[in-house]
C-alpha cells in the first residue's frame, strides 16, 4: 500500500467517516506529507516479508502457522544457514491499519480474524447469555503474526510460580529460572528504568515499552492501588502482585507484532520461505513407522503436498493445532473413529482447554472530561499527531492503560500468586456502540437497556479476570472437512469456586473506584442491571454471578489443548521437548502446550515458548547453543 493510501486509511478510522486520501492531504502542508513519506522510507527498514510464489516440494523444517510462536520458530531455525525452512500461514500480511495501536478493536471480525465462536451453553455451564445466540466471539489471528496482530499488545509474562508449577508436573527445563532467559532473549525494552535490571534486556527482536500517552485516570489507578495496600511495581519483574502502567509490544508508536519483530528483519534469508494464504489441512504420517513426513495444504484453491526432511512444527494455536492434529489421526480414539479418521496416536488432543474469563462491561462514571471518548480523541488533529510524530492517543495499547494483580481470599496465603488480574481502561462499552456490539456480540436489546443511557457520559472500566480457572473445556471436530470450524466448548464456570473468586475480584474493583484517588473525579459504579438480572439487588453475590454469566468476557487467551506432560500423564500430548507422543518428527510449539494457563496475558509466554523450542530443536539436531 502506498503511503498516500495509508494516511487515508488511518484518517478513515480516526474520524469514523470516509475520507479521500487526496482530500485528507489537502488539509496538511505538502512538506509535512513529504517528510512523513521520507521518514517511513528512510528510517523504517522493516519491509514486509516476501510471500513466496512457488513452494519447493521439500524443506528441512515446515512450520505450520505464522503467529506468536510460529514466526519466532521460523526466524530462529533459519539462523542455521544450511537448513531450509517453510513457514505456512493461512492468512495474509499485516496492514498499515493493524500498525495503529488504538485501532486494535477494528481488526476483530475482519478478514484478519478467524472469527471463531464458542458453543452455546449447556445445563452444566451457563455463560455468554447476553450475546447473540448465547455465543461469545473468540477472535484469533488469521494473518502473518497471528493474534499478536489483533491483540491489545499488553506484555505480561505471568507469575514465576506458574512455571515452577509446570516443572513440578513433570516438565524438566520449564521452571521460571529456565524460561526467564528466553523472555529476555526476545526483548528490546525501551523504557530505561526497566531495561537495565535482572529481569529485562535490550537488543532483542521484540520491542517492549509503555505507551507514550495516557489519560490522567492512569495515575489515579496507580494511586488507588497504593491506597489499597498494593505496591506500584514492574509486574514482569521480581514480584507480580501490584499495580502498574501497561507495558506493550509497540515500537515507535506502532504495533510490534511477531511478524514485524522476527520476520521482517530476516526477509531476505534465502533459506526461509513464507507461504501466505495457504491453509494446512493434514499432517502426513507414515502408517507403519509413525513418522511425520509432510503436510497437505490448500493454496489458490489447489491442494499441494510438501515434504519435511527433518521435522514438522505445529504452531497453529490452541484451536488450530488440535484441529489439524485430529484431522491427521492424532487425538482421542473414540472421537476420531466416530468420524472415520484412522488413528495414528490416541492422545487427549483438544482436552484441557483453558482461558482467562471475567465480567465485561463493569463500568464507572466520573464527572470530569478526562476519559477516552470517540468524539474527543478520534479527530483529524489526533490522527495527524500520530502520523507525523508517532505520539498521542492513537498509541494507546488498545485502550488498556493499567494492569493490576490482586489477591482474593481464595489466593494462596503467601500473596505471591495473585488470582485476579485487572485491565484498566479510561473508556467503556458505551464509547463506540457499533464497534463494541460487533466485537462482543452483545444483543441490541442488552446494549440499549444497559449502556445506551451512558451515551454522553464520562466513563471508565475495569475488567476483572480469573487468572487460574478450575473449569476446563474442550475442542472437538465437527467434521472431517478442514474448512468446518471445530466445536469450542470453554465450559466456563462449571466449578463454583471460579464464580466465587471472580465475585471477590469485582468487589476489589469497586474498592478501587471508592478510593480517594478516584473520588476526586466522583467515580461511582453504573448500576443498571442486565435484563436477566433485574430480580437481584446490586452488589449481592447473586447479582454478580448473574452478571458474569450474562456479560461473560474473555480477552482471548485459549491455551492448553495439547498439554505438555510426562509419559505417565494420561492427558499429555507432548513431552517436555514438545514432541508429540507416538509420532516421530512432529512437535507442537504454541500456547496449546501449556499444562496450565499462565497468570497473565498469554502473548509474551507464547513468544517465550517459541524461543525455547527453537533452541531445543537445534540441540536435538546437533547444533550447539551458545
Amino acid at each position: 500500500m502506498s503511503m498516500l493510501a495509508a494516511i487515508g486509511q488511518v484518517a478513515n478510522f480516526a474520524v469514523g467517516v470516509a475520507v479521500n486520501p487526496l482530500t485528507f492531504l489537502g488539509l496538511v502542508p505538502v512538506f509535512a506529507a513529504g517528510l512523513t513519506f521520507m521518514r517511513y522510507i528512510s528510517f523504517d527498514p522493516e519491509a514486509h516479508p516476501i510471500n513466496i510464489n512457488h513452494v519447493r516440494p521439500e524443506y528441512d523444517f515446515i512450520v505450520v502457522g505464522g503467529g506468536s510462536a510460529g514466526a519466532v520458530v521460523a526466524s530462529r531455525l533459519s539462523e542455521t544457514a544450511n537448513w531450509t525452512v517453510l513457514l505456512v500461514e493461512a492468512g495474509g500480511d499485516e496492514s498499515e491499519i493493524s500498525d495503529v495501536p488504538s485501532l486494535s478493536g477494528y481488526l476483530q471480525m475482519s478478514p484478519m480474524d478467524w472469527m471463531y465462536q464458542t458453543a452455546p451453553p449447556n445445563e452444566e455451564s451457563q455463560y455468554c447469555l447476553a450475546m447473540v445466540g448465547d455465543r461469545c466471539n473468540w477472535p484469533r489471528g488469521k494473518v502473518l503474526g497471528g493474534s499478536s496482530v489483533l491483540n491489545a499488545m499488553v506484555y505480561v509474562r505471568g507469575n514465576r510460580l506458574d512455571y515452577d508449577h509446570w516443572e513440578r508436573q513433570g516438565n524438566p527445563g520449564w521452571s521460571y529460572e529456565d524460561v526467564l532467559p528466553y523472555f529476555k532473549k526476545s526483548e528490546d525494552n525501551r523504557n530505561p528504568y526497566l531495561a537495565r535490571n535482572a529481569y529485562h534486556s535490550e537488543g532483542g527482536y521484540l520491542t517492549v515499552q509503555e505507551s507514550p500517552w495516557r489519560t490522567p485516570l492512569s495515575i489515579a489507578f496507580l494511586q488507588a492501588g497504593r491506597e489499597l495496600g498494593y505496591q506500584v511495581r514492574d509486574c514482569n519483574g521480581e514480584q507480580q502482585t501490584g499495580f502498574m502502567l501497561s507495558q506493550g509490544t509497540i515500537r515507535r508508536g506502532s504495533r510490534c507484532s511477531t511478524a514485524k519483530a522476527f520476520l521482517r528483519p530476516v526477509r531476505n534469508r534465502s533459506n526461509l520461505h513464507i507461504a501466505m494464504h495457504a491453509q494446512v489441512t493434514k499432517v502426513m504420517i507414515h502408517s507403519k513407522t509413525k513418522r511425520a513426513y509432510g503436510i497437505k495444504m490448500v493454496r489458490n484453491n489447489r491442494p499441494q503436498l510438501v515434504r519435511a526432511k527433518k521435522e514438522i512444527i505445529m504452531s497453529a494455536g490452541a484451536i488450530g493445532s488440535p484441529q489439524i492434529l485430529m484431522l491427521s489421526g492424532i487425538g482421542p480414539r473414540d472421537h476420531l473413529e466416530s468420524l472415520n479418521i484412522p488413528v495414528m496416536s490416541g492422545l487427549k488432543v483438544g482436552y484441557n482447554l483453558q482461558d482467562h474469563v471475567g465480567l465485561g462491561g463493569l463500568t464507572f462514571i466520573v464527572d470530569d472530561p478526562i476519559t477516552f471518548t470517540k468524539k474527543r480523541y478520534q479527530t483529524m488533529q489526533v490522527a495527524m499527531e500520530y502520523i507525523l510524530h508517532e505520539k498521542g492517543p492513537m498509541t494507546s495499547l488498545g485502550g488498556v492503560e493499567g494492569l493490576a494483580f490482586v489477591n482474593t481470599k481464595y489466593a494462596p496465603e503467601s500473596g505471591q500468586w495473585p488470582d485476579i488480574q485487572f485491565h484498566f481502561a479510561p473508556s467503556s462499552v458505551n464509547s463506540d456502540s457499533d464497534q463494541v456490539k460487533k466485537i462482543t456480540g452483545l444483543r441490541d436489546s442488552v446494549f440499549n437497556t444497559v449502556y445506551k443511557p451512558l451515551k454522553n457520559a464520562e466513563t471508565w472500566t475495569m475488567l476483572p479476570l480469573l487468572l487460574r480457572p478450575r473449569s476446563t473445556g474442550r475442542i472437538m471436530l465437527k467434521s472431517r472437512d478442514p474448512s468446518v470450524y471445530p466445536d469450542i466448548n470453554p465450559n466456563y464456570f462449571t466449578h463454583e469456586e471460579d464464580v466465587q473468586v471472580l465475585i471477590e475480584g469485582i468487589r476489589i474493583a469497586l474498592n478501587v473506584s471508592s478510593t480517594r484517588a478516584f473520588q476526586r473525579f466522583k467515580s461511582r459504579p453504573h448500576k443498571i442491571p442486565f435484563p436477566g438480572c433485574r430480580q437481584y439487588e446490586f452488589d449481592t453475590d447473586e447479582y454478580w454471578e448473574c452478571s458474569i454469566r450474562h456479560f461473560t468476557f474473555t480477552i482471548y487467551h485459549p491455551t492448553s489443548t495439547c498439554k505438555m506432560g510426562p509419559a505417565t500423564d494420561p492427558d499429555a500430548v507432548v513431552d517436555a521437548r514438545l514432541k508429540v507422543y507416538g509420532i516421530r518428527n512432529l512437535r507442537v510449539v504454541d500456547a496449546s502446550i501449556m499444562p496450565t494457563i499462565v497468570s497473565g496475558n498469554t502473548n509474551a509466554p507464547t513468544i517465550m515458548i517459541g524461543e525455547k523450542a527453537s533452541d531445543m530443536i537445534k540441540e536435538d539436531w546437533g547444533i550447539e547453543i551458545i
Side-chain angles (χ1 to χ4, degrees):
M1 178 184 292
S2 69
M3 189 60 197
L4 182 67
I7 292 175
Q9 280 207 33
V10 172
N12 291 347
F13 276 82
V15 301
V17 297
V19 178
N20 184 290
L22 293 173
T23 304
F24 182 73
L25 282 179
L27 303 175
V28 185
V30 174
F31 75 89
L35 285 175
T36 303
F37 181 78
M38 290 304 296
R39 174 170 64 79
Y40 274 78
I41 297 300
S42 301
F43 300 107
D44 188 352
E46 298 158 345
H48 286 246
I50 299 167
N51 183 20
I52 196 76
N53 288 324
H54 300 290
V55 174
R56 298 174 186 168
E58 187 174 66
Y59 293 82
D60 290 310
F61 295 91
I62 299 174
V63 182
V64 179
S68 294
V72 177
V73 174
S75 177
R76 293 303 189 187
L77 293 185
S78 65
E79 291 173 343
T80 303
N82 62 342
W83 283 353
T84 55
V85 180
L86 174 65
L87 176 61
V88 184
E89 168 55 45
D93 202 357
E94 303 168 277
S95 71
E96 282 74 8
I97 296 304
S98 65
D99 266 357
V100 183
S102 68
L103 301 182
S104 60
Y106 288 87
L107 304 173
Q108 296 177 21
M109 308 302 288
S110 79
M112 293 185 185
D113 179 6
W114 283 97
M115 294 186 277
Y116 293 117
Q117 288 188 311
T118 60
N122 52 51
E123 290 183 3
E124 296 180 357
S125 180
Q126 294 287 298
Y127 54 84
C128 304
L129 300 178
M131 312 324 188
V132 175
D134 295 345
R135 295 171 179 263
C136 280
N137 293 334
W138 266 26
R140 293 283 85 199
K142 188 179 182 181
V143 58
L144 198 64
S147 296
S148 74
V149 177
L150 270 61
N151 68 2
M153 295 144 286
V154 174
Y155 182 85
V156 173
R157 295 174 174 176
N159 191 292
R160 66 166 59 232
L161 296 176
D162 297 330
Y163 303 104
D164 292 344
H165 182 53
W166 287 8
E167 185 172 60
R168 287 197 303 273
Q169 292 180 72
N171 298 296
W174 289 92
S175 71
Y176 180 73
E177 293 303 322
D178 290 315
V179 302
L180 178 59
Y182 288 104
F183 281 115
K184 294 172 66 176
K185 180 179 181 178
S186 292
E187 188 181 24
D188 179 23
N189 197 297
R190 297 192 180 179
N191 286 113
Y193 83 97
L194 290 173
R196 300 181 184 94
N197 66 35
Y199 296 93
H200 293 279
S201 62
E202 299 172 293
Y205 280 130
L206 184 73
T207 305
V208 177
Q209 62 183 105
E210 295 168 359
S211 170
W213 184 91
R214 60 187 69 95
T215 66
L217 283 175
S218 64
I219 304 305
F221 178 71
L222 300 183
Q223 293 170 338
R226 288 195 181 99
E227 284 189 51
L228 295 177
Y230 289 93
Q231 290 190 33
V232 174
R233 57 160 45 108
D234 169 22
C235 296
N236 289 316
E238 182 178 4
Q239 295 183 28
Q240 185 186 43
T241 308
F243 283 59
M244 67 181 286
L245 295 175
S246 300
Q247 298 168 20
T249 51
I250 58 171
R251 176 186 300 166
R252 295 192 299 276
S254 298
R255 177 188 296 274
C256 185
S257 68
T258 56
K260 180 182 286 188
F262 291 89
L263 296 177
R264 294 191 192 186
V266 302
R267 66 187 296 272
N268 291 321
R269 283 182 184 162
S270 60
N271 65 329
L272 173 60
H273 283 182
I274 299 173
M276 301 184 213
H277 302 291
Q279 185 166 347
V280 174
T281 59
K282 187 176 183 180
V283 177
M284 303 303 296
I285 302 167
H286 196 284
S287 60
K288 292 184 178 179
T289 65
K290 299 297 178 68
R291 176 184 179 274
Y293 64 86
I295 60 164
K296 281 186 177 179
M297 67 180 192
V298 176
R299 195 180 193 204
N300 299 322
N301 294 319
R302 296 175 58 187
Q304 189 171 355
L305 171 66
V306 187
R307 294 179 177 271
K309 286 192 286 187
K310 288 184 166 60
E311 284 193 29
I312 297 166
I313 297 99
M314 291 298 310
S315 297
I319 301 172
S321 285
Q323 180 187 17
I324 296 170
L325 289 178
M326 288 189 283
L327 289 169
S328 307
I330 303 168
R333 184 173 297 276
D334 57 347
H335 178 48
L336 299 187
E337 288 178 346
S338 71
L339 293 168
N340 294 319
I341 297 174
V343 179
M344 295 293 177
S345 184
L347 302 172
K348 294 189 76 171
V349 173
Y351 283 82
N352 197 41
L353 174 63
Q354 297 168 44
D355 184 29
H356 291 138
V357 67
L359 171 63
L362 182 60
T363 302
F364 301 88
I365 306 167
V366 295
D367 290 343
D368 294 15
I370 54 176
T371 63
F372 197 111
T373 62
K374 183 176 181 179
K375 64 182 179 181
R376 183 175 298 126
Y377 291 119
Q378 292 192 5
T379 66
M380 191 71 73
Q381 180 180 354
V382 168
M384 290 312 302
E385 183 180 14
Y386 177 77
I387 292 168
L388 297 178
H389 304 295
E390 300 169 336
K391 295 181 180 179
M394 296 189 81
T395 64
S396 174
L397 301 172
V400 180
E401 291 192 343
L403 303 171
F405 295 88
V406 300
N407 296 284
T408 72
K409 63 184 180 183
Y410 302 99
E413 293 182 4
S414 69
Q416 300 308 307
W417 209 1
D419 52 356
I420 288 287
Q421 179 182 3
F422 291 148
H423 284 66
F424 161 75
S427 61
S428 70
V429 171
N430 63 292
S431 60
D432 187 348
S433 58
D434 291 339
Q435 192 62 25
V436 166
K437 285 189 289 184
K438 180 180 177 182
I439 293 171
T440 62
L442 271 179
R443 289 190 176 96
D444 285 344
S445 59
V446 174
F447 184 89
N448 292 338
T449 300
V450 181
Y451 297 108
K452 193 173 182 179
L454 295 173
K455 181 177 181 181
N456 297 314
E458 298 284 339
T459 57
W460 62 277
T461 191
M462 191 105 74
L463 174 61
L465 287 173
L466 180 68
L467 284 177
R468 290 185 298 282
R470 293 175 178 266
S471 306
T472 62
R474 185 178 174 188
I475 303 287
M476 297 179 69
L477 296 179
K478 293 179 182 177
S479 168
R480 296 177 58 180
D481 182 350
S483 66
V484 176
Y485 282 7
D487 182 77
I488 301 170
N489 183 0
N491 257 353
Y492 293 139
F493 313 131
T494 50
H495 282 258
E496 184 60 29
E497 186 171 321
D498 288 349
V499 174
Q500 294 169 351
V501 172
L502 264 177
I503 291 173
E504 289 295 309
I506 292 167
R507 293 211 166 101
I508 296 172
L510 294 174
N511 291 339
V512 170
S513 173
S514 297
T515 58
R516 292 189 304 274
F518 276 97
Q519 286 309 300
R520 286 189 299 138
F521 308 108
K522 296 183 174 58
S523 179
R524 64 270 188 195
H526 174 52
K527 295 184 178 181
I528 296 179
F530 294 103
C533 304
R534 290 171 179 159
Q535 67 271 37
Y536 303 116
E537 183 181 352
F538 181 81
D539 201 23
T540 60
D541 286 3
E542 294 80 6
Y543 176 85
W544 290 124
E545 177 168 357
C546 181
S547 298
I548 290 165
R549 293 186 185 276
H550 275 74
F551 199 163
T552 310
F553 200 78
T554 164
I555 51 171
Y556 325 120
H557 291 168
T559 69
S560 308
T561 50
C562 298
K563 181 185 180 183
M564 172 175 63
T568 54
D569 183 349
D571 296 333
V573 175
V574 300
D575 64 17
R577 306 292 287 184
L578 307 189
K579 296 179 178 181
V580 175
Y581 282 111
I583 305 294
R584 296 167 50 205
N585 299 349
L586 179 63
R587 297 188 209 228
V588 180
V589 180
D590 56 32
S592 69
I593 65 93
M594 295 183 184
T596 49
I597 194 168
V598 294
S599 303
N601 305 62
T602 53
N603 192 54
T606 302
I607 294 169
M608 175 277 293
I609 289 168
E611 290 278 25
K612 181 171 172 57
S614 299
D615 271 5
M616 291 193 296
I617 293 167
K618 289 177 180 179
E619 288 173 344
D620 289 349
W621 290 94
I623 303 296
E624 183 178 358
I625 304 301
I626 299 175

